[in-house]
Amino acid sequence: FGGVAWEVTEKTKGTIKGGYGINNFKDPSLEKFRGYLMEANIDYNITTRHSLKLKATRETNETNMYGTDFFVTTGFSLEYFHRFTGKITARSNISYGMDSYHGLYERKDDTWNFGLGLVYSIQKWLKTEAGYYYTNRTSNFDYLGYKNNLFNIRVTTTL
């Protein structure tokens, strides 16, 4: 795995990493993964109040389904942040991921996510967030597809 990080301008920075991955499992019955992996990130601060983050990835993951050895996720995400005040920030995101499972069962999932949230910084170390997140996954195994609507309230602390 190798890569480059750069600051194109004072407002734009990014990283690009790529490599070749090999996963050998202790269990000889499991298929080995050999393939290209990558990650790219671009952060663009449009103004002090507006920013965008774009990420693209291709990565291997441990399986969560019997009869498959591993899966490869290829996808992207885009986040937008708008700072109303020093304490209140709105954020939105959209992402897509395609999961390709390998092994006894050849499974393919397409997952779209969309979210909106409002963050309030009570203190530098204490934040609250209210948000809505929507997920739509389709699969070539119909019973594994779903749609999900999630409303949440979260409190986050950092020490």
Side-chain angles (χ1 to χ4, degrees):
F1 220 56
V4 179
W6 78 98
E7 281 192 38
V8 178
T9 68
E10 207 172 272
K11 294 181 175 188
T12 308
K13 63 182 177 180
T15 59
I16 296 177
K17 303 175 201 174
Y20 188 78
I22 300 170
N23 285 8
N24 292 321
F25 301 98
K26 286 183 181 179
D27 183 345
S29 69
L30 297 178
E31 179 184 344
K32 296 177 184 178
F33 169 77
R34 295 176 185 271
Y36 293 98
L37 306 170
M38 62 80 66
E39 181 179 305
N41 296 292
I42 297 174
D43 294 347
Y44 177 48
N45 293 315
I46 302 164
T47 68
T48 56
R49 295 182 143 209
H50 307 274
S51 64
L52 285 171
K53 291 185 179 194
L54 176 63
K55 181 178 182 179
T57 60
R58 177 176 162 80
E59 61 191 13
T60 60
N61 300 285
E62 291 185 20
T63 188
N64 57 1
M65 179 180 173
Y66 175 78
T68 59
D69 303 330
F70 63 90
F71 66 100
V72 177
T73 301
T74 305
F76 75 90
S77 66
L78 177 65
E79 290 184 280
Y80 172 73
F81 298 88
H82 175 76
R83 176 178 278 168
F84 291 105
T85 68
K87 292 188 173 262
I88 301 172
T89 303
R91 62 185 226 168
S92 63
N93 69 302
I94 187 168
S95 65
Y96 168 77
M98 180 183 66
D99 297 331
S100 298
Y101 288 75
H102 298 269
L104 181 60
Y105 302 107
E106 296 294 321
R107 173 180 159 191
K108 299 242 188 276
D109 294 349
D110 291 308
T111 305
W112 284 95
N113 294 293
F114 171 75
L116 295 169
L118 192 61
V119 180
Y120 178 66
S121 298
I122 299 167
Q123 296 288 326
K124 190 175 186 177
W125 54 271
L126 181 63
K127 296 179 182 178
T128 61
E129 179 179 356
Y132 166 75
Y133 299 93
Y134 172 76
T135 302
N136 182 0
R137 179 170 78 186
T138 58
S139 177
N140 61 330
F141 287 75
D142 289 338
Y143 64 94
L144 295 172
Y146 66 88
K147 292 180 182 177
N148 185 43
N149 292 284
L150 174 69
F151 296 90
N152 74 325
I153 296 175
R154 177 171 48 192
V155 176
T156 307
T157 63
T158 55
L159 303 175

